[in-house]
Amino acid sequence: MRLLPRVVALACLTGVLAATAACGGGGGSSTTSASSGTGGSSVPNIDAAAFTADFSQMKQLTDLAKQGKGMIGVLLPDTTTSARYVTYDAPYLKQAFEAAGLSADQFKIDNAQGSASTMQQQAEADITAGASVLLIDPLDAGSGAAIEANAESKGLKVIDYDRLVSGGPEDRYYVSFDNVKVGELIGQGEVDCIDAWKVSKPNILIMDGDPTDNNAKLFAQGYNGVLKPHFDDGSYVKVGEPAGTWTPSKAATTFEQQYTAHPNINAVVTPNDDNANAVISVLQKNKIPANTFPTTGQDASPSGLQNILKGYQCGTVYKPIYLEAQASAALALYLRAGVTPPSSLVNSTTKDSTLGKDIKSVYTTPIWVTTENMADTVVKDGAIKVADLCTGALASKCAAAGIS
């Protein structure tokens, strides 16, 4: 999934970094002597928790950018599983590179449009064009690992962007949100909403993301962990957990089939806003009233935020992608310059279960957005414009939520 959009203020990165599950030491960035592939020159000591919406921290990396050689290639997966890649990731990565002083010919951002073979071709083109670093958000672990192995064999450094490439090279890096925390927020959001909407005898359908996506597994680990005590004590009933997907049309079909077979379902865990929107379309077709049937989400997408205001979605996980983009761009600049990135940036590790190895990681902590804090998070951060959010009948809903 991928979960969307999202974009800002979290307290620790994914927030992209503003306060991660394993935040690095506090403080901003300073200049210290970090190890360098060329001999220990003084380089900026960027902190994962220091990135801000104005991209000012990236300006501390301009000298590092001048030291580096080769192009930075970015490979994004698609435009269908989440609107984030076009709306947020690509423009924020571009802004981060430019803020650090890279010219247009020193980085390249491509989208594979859902085709693993296209991503492979884009990677080959980047390598041919002289790339020294690749950031990869793969369509699946197998194709991603193959691309990374080929890149490393030709001397490039590789970074897993947003989702882990299970089975990739041992010495790669990973930049993402704390994805178990994302799932925990979804699970707790469901619990809180069941209580707030006074859902009696909750019969919950759990809908997962694509099982081939490592992030989807981590999300599920998080929300299932929160919900398990309620299932165990009998206060909630788990109706089922069908095969997952990130394709909204498939999610709609799955939900409709489950709802027909189990009309007692009165709450659903949905792992991102696009899947939630698919479920909500079925609920509305069946004339289910607002504020009665909890769904959850992730990405702080326009549709997700509007569904929250309408009372059809409990909340959404907000992941400030401008922070994730800056963290990824900063990491790429260190690697491009042959400099070991500081522990204040690379602040955690992630287990690659395929390799049985810990992968050096940059983590950030997401935030749960509801009508209560929407004005102070996604709106304040500029993740969505009020004019785009508060259209038509939603103007009064926005006013009630303090959004203006």
Side-chain angles (χ1 to χ4, degrees):
M1 154 207 133
R2 284 173 227 185
L3 327 138
L4 204 180
R6 352 132 194 79
V7 201
V8 177
L10 295 191
C12 223
L13 171 53
T14 223
V16 187
L17 300 175
T20 180
C23 281
S29 65
S30 58
T31 300
T32 65
S33 181
S35 62
S36 167
T38 57
S41 61
S42 184
V43 299
N45 187 22
I46 292 292
D47 192 319
F51 295 107
T52 55
D54 63 2
F55 287 68
S56 60
Q57 291 299 310
M58 296 305 300
K59 294 178 173 57
Q60 311 249 352
L61 298 173
T62 53
D63 287 342
L64 190 69
K66 293 174 183 177
Q67 296 174 35
K69 297 185 184 302
M71 184 185 74
I72 298 172
V74 179
L75 306 177
L76 300 176
D78 59 50
T79 57
T80 57
T81 61
S82 177
R84 63 171 286 179
Y85 298 110
V86 173
T87 306
Y88 300 106
D89 296 84
Y92 284 138
L93 285 161
K94 179 177 184 290
Q95 185 174 351
F97 289 133
E98 290 177 344
L102 292 188
S103 58
D105 62 344
Q106 292 177 309
F107 67 92
K108 184 168 174 280
I109 303 170
D110 290 307
N111 191 299
Q113 299 295 335
S115 169
S117 61
T118 296
M119 183 174 285
Q120 182 180 11
Q121 292 166 10
Q122 291 167 341
E124 290 286 0
D126 287 348
I127 294 170
T128 300
S132 56
V133 181
L134 282 184
L135 275 76
I136 303 173
D137 188 341
L139 284 153
D140 61 83
S143 64
I147 290 170
E148 291 185 345
N150 178 56
E152 275 216 341
S153 73
K154 296 176 180 176
L156 283 74
K157 298 293 186 180
V158 295
I159 300 170
D160 294 354
Y161 178 73
D162 195 64
R163 74 176 56 147
L164 189 73
V165 180
S166 298
E170 290 185 23
D171 60 347
R172 71 192 189 278
Y173 290 81
Y174 174 46
V175 181
S176 188
F177 300 88
D178 180 350
N179 291 309
V180 174
K181 180 64 176 177
V182 170
E184 290 172 348
L185 289 174
I186 289 172
Q188 190 59 50
E190 181 86 347
V191 171
D192 293 344
C193 198
I194 285 170
D195 181 59
W197 290 3
K198 297 180 170 49
V199 178
S200 61
K201 299 180 180 179
N203 285 263
I204 302 175
L205 180 69
I206 296 179
M207 298 182 67
D208 301 323
D210 191 321
T212 65
D213 179 357
N214 191 68
N215 281 2
K217 298 175 184 177
L218 297 176
F219 303 148
Q221 177 184 332
Y223 51 69
N224 282 321
V226 171
L227 294 171
K228 186 177 186 298
H230 296 276
F231 294 138
D232 288 348
D233 67 16
S235 57
Y236 295 177
V237 174
K238 181 178 177 178
V239 177
E241 189 170 1
T245 180
W246 287 131
T247 303
S249 60
K250 292 182 181 179
T253 299
T254 296
F255 175 69
E256 194 150 27
Q257 291 171 343
Q258 291 289 321
Y259 195 38
T260 299
H262 307 282
N264 57 320
I265 294 172
N266 56 8
V268 181
V269 170
T270 34
N272 74 347
D273 293 345
D274 290 344
N275 280 13
N277 195 49
V279 168
I280 289 166
S281 68
V282 176
L283 295 177
Q284 291 175 330
K285 184 176 69 175
N286 285 277
K287 303 192 183 308
I288 302 299
N291 301 304
T292 62
F293 198 115
T295 68
T296 56
Q298 171 182 186
D299 291 337
S301 69
S303 64
L305 296 169
Q306 290 182 330
N307 281 330
I308 293 168
L309 291 169
K310 293 174 183 176
Y312 279 96
Q313 186 171 321
C314 302
T316 185
V317 177
Y318 174 45
K319 300 184 297 187
I321 294 176
Y322 70 76
L323 298 176
E324 185 179 28
Q326 288 178 82
S328 300
L331 179 59
L333 288 169
Y334 282 104
L335 299 180
R336 178 175 175 266
V339 174
T340 300
S343 59
S344 56
L345 177 62
V346 182
N347 53 22
S348 190
T349 61
T350 302
K351 177 68 72 175
D352 183 328
S353 57
T354 300
L355 297 179
K357 301 287 185 179
D358 289 329
I359 306 303
K360 298 181 288 286
S361 304
V362 180
Y363 269 1
T364 129
T365 299
I367 187 171
W368 183 247
V369 171
T370 65
T371 54
E372 283 71 26
N373 65 348
M374 194 179 295
D376 293 329
T377 53
V378 290
V379 175
K380 181 179 179 181
D381 293 340
I384 190 168
K385 295 178 181 178
V386 173
D388 295 332
L389 176 64
C390 304
T391 58
L394 285 177
S396 61
K397 301 286 188 182
C398 284
I403 299 170
S404 59

